[in-house]
């Protein structure tokens, strides 16, 4: 683990400085474009402790065979806190990064609005960027998710209920270098998912209701158990950056130049009731 951290510090310092400059620039351009600012909660500037789940977040570790190609895994050391309170999640050919928001998971919220602002360094084929999704870990039902997944220049809004998923909406948009605000608002019988670029003002939104999901469930090819998650089930946020094993969905992976990483900066988050 120490070797991984030293490698990333040595080879990633130049990219970190560039990413910081780009993030600041797109933030200013967003303000100039009239996009409203909001107060964000930032993350601890010191690294979190390994396997201490009483912290704000904890990096996820290990291989997930249903999602990843052979030889790829999540690593604890691939999540790096920054002096400004953001975190940088990194990806190479063999490892990526994810955080489980342990502080929010423990609160077991069933309603409210989550907001994340994130910047991705570049759009790379074969990579899935998931700056915000909410999940119902530990419930008797289990496996309910509302996901933003961005890959190969395409944004998808997806709903999962355990086995299988359903693409609710898909839209093409190049978000490389953009500081983007991702929002998921959960209310009884309704979930609103919206995305806005603070760089050029582009935005998109999807409102998901019980009756809408019931109609989707009747479509040919829909997962057999597709349904709107029960309002009583707590859900909490995660963020992920990973290589997928389905090139027809996320694009064909292209080797990175030596020493390069794909980065996603999570600038901060906000929860409101």
């Amino acid at each position: 683990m120490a070797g991984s951290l030293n490698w990333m510090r040595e080879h990633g310092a130049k990219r970190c400085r560039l990413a910081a400059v780009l993030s600041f620039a797109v933030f200013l351009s967003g303000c100039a474009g009239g996009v409203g600012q909001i107060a964000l909660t930032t993350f601890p500037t010191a690294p979190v402790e390994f396997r201490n789940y009483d912290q704000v977040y904890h990096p996820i570790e290990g291989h997930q065979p249903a999602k990843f190609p052979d030889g790829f895994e999540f690593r604890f050391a691939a999540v790096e806190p920054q002096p400004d309170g953001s975190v940088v999640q990194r990806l190479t050919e063999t490892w990526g990064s994810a955080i489980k928001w342990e502080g929010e998971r423990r609160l077991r919220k069933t309603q409210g609005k989550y907001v994340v602002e994130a910047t991705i360094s570049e759009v790379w084929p074969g990579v899935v960027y998931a700056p915000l999704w909410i999940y119902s870990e530990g419930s008797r039902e289990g496996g309910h998710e509302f996901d933003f997944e961005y890959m190969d220049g395409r944004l998808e809004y997806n709903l999962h209920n355990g086995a299988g998923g359903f693409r609710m909406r898909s839209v093409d948009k190049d978000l490389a270098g953009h500081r983007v605000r991702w929002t998921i608002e959960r209310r009884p019988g309704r979930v609103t998912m919206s995305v806005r670029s603070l760089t050029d003002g582009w935005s998109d939104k999807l409102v998901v209701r019980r009756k809408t999901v019931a109609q989707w469930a009747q479509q040919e090819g829909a997962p057999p158990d597709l349904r709107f998650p029960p309002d009583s089930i707590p859900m909490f946020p995660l963020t992920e950056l990973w290589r997928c094993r389905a090139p027809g969905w996320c694009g064909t992976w292209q080797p990175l130049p030596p020493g390069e990483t794909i980065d996603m900066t999570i600038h901060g988050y906000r929860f409101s009731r």
Side-chain angles (χ1 to χ4, degrees), residues 2-165:
S4 296
L5 277 171
N6 290 337
W7 185 91
M8 286 186 289
R9 286 168 180 161
E10 177 181 353
H11 294 275
K14 184 175 180 180
R15 284 179 67 105
C16 282
R17 289 193 294 269
L18 177 59
V21 172
L22 288 173
S23 296
F24 183 66
V26 297
F27 174 71
L28 290 179
S29 66
C31 294
V35 178
Q37 298 183 51
I38 62 172
L40 296 175
T41 300
T42 54
F43 299 94
T45 57
V48 295
E49 298 176 9
F50 181 56
R51 292 186 179 172
N52 176 357
Y53 301 108
D54 292 327
Q55 302 168 105
V56 174
Y57 69 89
H58 192 279
I60 299 171
E61 292 192 298
H63 178 66
Q64 298 183 12
K67 294 165 57 171
F68 302 162
D70 292 341
F72 186 86
E73 64 180 359
F74 280 141
R75 288 192 183 177
F76 182 93
V79 179
E80 298 184 27
Q82 304 297 304
D84 65 354
S86 64
V87 293
V88 174
Q89 299 186 215
R90 301 195 189 281
L91 177 141
T92 70
E93 183 166 356
T94 57
W95 46 261
S97 53
I99 61 175
K100 182 185 293 186
W101 299 35
E102 293 289 347
E104 293 296 327
R105 182 183 65 85
R106 293 193 304 273
L107 294 175
R108 297 184 59 80
K109 295 169 182 171
T110 59
Q111 295 184 44
K113 177 169 34 173
Y114 288 102
V115 178
V116 167
E117 290 186 8
T119 301
I120 61 175
S121 60
E122 53 199 301
V123 179
W124 199 265
V127 176
V128 177
Y129 309 79
L132 176 63
W133 56 286
I134 59 174
Y135 180 53
S136 65
E137 179 183 75
S139 71
R140 284 180 298 176
E141 294 243 0
H144 294 290
E145 304 175 15
F146 285 100
D147 300 347
F148 286 116
E149 291 180 305
Y150 181 72
M151 73 296 291
D152 213 19
R154 183 181 74 259
L155 169 62
E156 291 185 0
Y157 302 72
N158 294 316
L159 170 61
H160 299 258
N161 301 113

Side-chain angles (χ1 to χ4, degrees), residues 35 114-118 131-132 148 150 155-157 169 171 173 175 178-184 192-198 200-206:
V35 178
Y114 288 102
V115 178
V116 167
E117 290 186 8
L132 176 63
F148 286 116
Y150 181 72
L155 169 62
E156 291 185 0
Y157 302 72
R169 179 170 171 78
V171 59
K173 172 65 177 177
L175 293 173
H178 289 223
R179 179 162 174 155
V180 178
R181 182 176 298 161
W182 307 84
T183 303
I184 300 179
T192 302
M193 304 174 68
S194 61
V195 55
R196 176 181 291 274
S197 168
L198 304 186
D200 65 5
W202 173 85
S203 65
D204 194 66
K205 183 170 75 171
L206 176 68

Side-chain angles (χ1 to χ4, degrees), residues 185-256:
E185 182 175 3
R186 191 178 179 210
R187 303 298 178 196
R190 184 183 81 250
V191 170
T192 302
M193 304 174 68
S194 61
V195 55
R196 176 181 291 274
S197 168
L198 304 186
T199 303
D200 65 5
W202 173 85
S203 65
D204 194 66
K205 183 170 75 171
L206 176 68
V207 179
V208 187
R209 294 184 173 87
R210 285 195 186 96
K211 64 179 181 180
T212 314
V213 177
Q215 292 169 355
W216 289 334
Q218 302 303 313
Q219 294 182 6
E220 184 178 354
D225 200 28
L226 183 66
R227 64 199 188 281
F228 192 90
D231 294 328
S232 59
I233 291 181
M235 302 179 81
F236 69 96
L238 300 94
T239 67
E240 293 185 344
L241 178 64
W242 48 283
R243 274 189 63 196
C244 88
R245 61 181 303 162
W249 176 56
C250 62
T252 301
W253 170 260
Q254 301 295 321
L256 285 166

